[in-house]
């Protein structure tokens, strides 16, 4: 798993939110995460200019669903894999502070039932799901399965 792959995965977010919660306990993360299978998100972007980041990624040796990304030393950003469906097609990534959460899918069209299911995962993790904001998606036809 490379930092580039992680950024690609995060860049394909279906929903980005600045949700906050009063809960102080970290949310539960996925157990038994298959990192190779999880990191299979494809490239896809709008037509804007390319901006490249080269962070260093860290995976916790105790829990591979707990990650750190270091964009600028010495600061690390926390990313927690809160949910992944059994087919590794949809995921929820969050932070202990509950200040950001991302709903991501391997395809650009997330139906209302799927969205509602992921919004419930977000709420169950202690976020204010009413703060979720959909991010428009436009994927190249050949790469947007």
């Amino acid at each position: 798993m490379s930092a580039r792959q992680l950024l690609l995965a995060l860049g394909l977010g279906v929903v980005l939110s600045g949700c906050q919660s009063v809960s102080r306990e970290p949310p539960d993360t996925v157990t038994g995460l298959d990192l190779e299978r999880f990191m299979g998100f494809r490239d896809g972007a709008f037509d804007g200019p390319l901006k490249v980041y080269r962070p260093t990624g860290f995976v916790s040796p105790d829990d591979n669903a707990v990650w750190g990304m270091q964009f600028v030393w010495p600061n690390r950003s926390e990313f927690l894999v809160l949910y992944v469906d059994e087919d590794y097609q949809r995921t929820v990534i969050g932070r202990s502070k509950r200040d950001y959460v991302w709903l991501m899918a391997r395809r650009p069209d997330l139906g209302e039932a799927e969205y509602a299911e992921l919004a419930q995962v977000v709420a169950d993790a202690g976020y204010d799901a009413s703060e979720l904001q959909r991010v428009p998606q436009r994927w190249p036809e050949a790469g947007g399965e």
Side-chain angles (χ1 to χ4, degrees):
M1 175 190 66
S2 71
R4 182 176 182 272
Q5 289 172 318
L6 176 60
L7 285 177
L8 290 173
L10 293 176
L12 297 177
V14 173
V15 178
L16 170 66
S17 174
C19 302
Q20 291 192 352
S21 170
V22 295
S23 177
R24 297 290 180 210
E25 292 295 317
D28 292 334
T29 57
V30 171
T31 57
L33 183 67
D34 180 341
L35 286 177
E36 296 247 346
R37 190 172 179 199
F38 183 79
M39 292 308 300
F41 287 96
R42 294 181 178 228
D43 281 354
F46 288 97
D47 294 335
L50 178 65
K51 187 168 189 177
V52 177
Y53 295 97
R54 301 205 189 282
T56 302
F58 305 89
V59 177
S60 170
D62 301 322
D63 182 352
N64 67 359
V66 176
W67 303 356
M69 294 299 294
Q70 189 173 54
F71 292 88
V72 177
W73 183 88
N75 300 322
R76 284 190 189 179
S77 298
E78 172 194 58
F79 295 94
L80 306 175
V81 182
L82 305 178
Y83 169 83
V84 63
D85 70 5
E86 65 183 40
D87 295 325
Y88 282 66
Q89 298 299 303
R90 300 171 298 143
T91 188
V92 176
I93 307 292
R95 292 175 23 97
S96 292
K97 293 180 181 180
R98 292 176 177 84
D99 53 352
Y100 289 95
V101 63
W102 295 267
L103 309 185
M104 294 182 278
R106 292 185 192 267
R107 40 179 236 285
D109 58 330
L110 191 61
E112 290 304 315
E114 291 175 301
Y115 177 81
E117 179 184 346
L118 294 178
Q120 187 60 54
V121 169
V122 166
D124 291 347
Y127 290 85
D128 179 356
S130 71
E131 295 288 324
L132 290 171
Q133 300 173 24
R134 286 187 184 246
V135 174
Q137 298 291 302
R138 186 177 70 191
W139 292 12
E141 285 187 37
E145 294 181 4

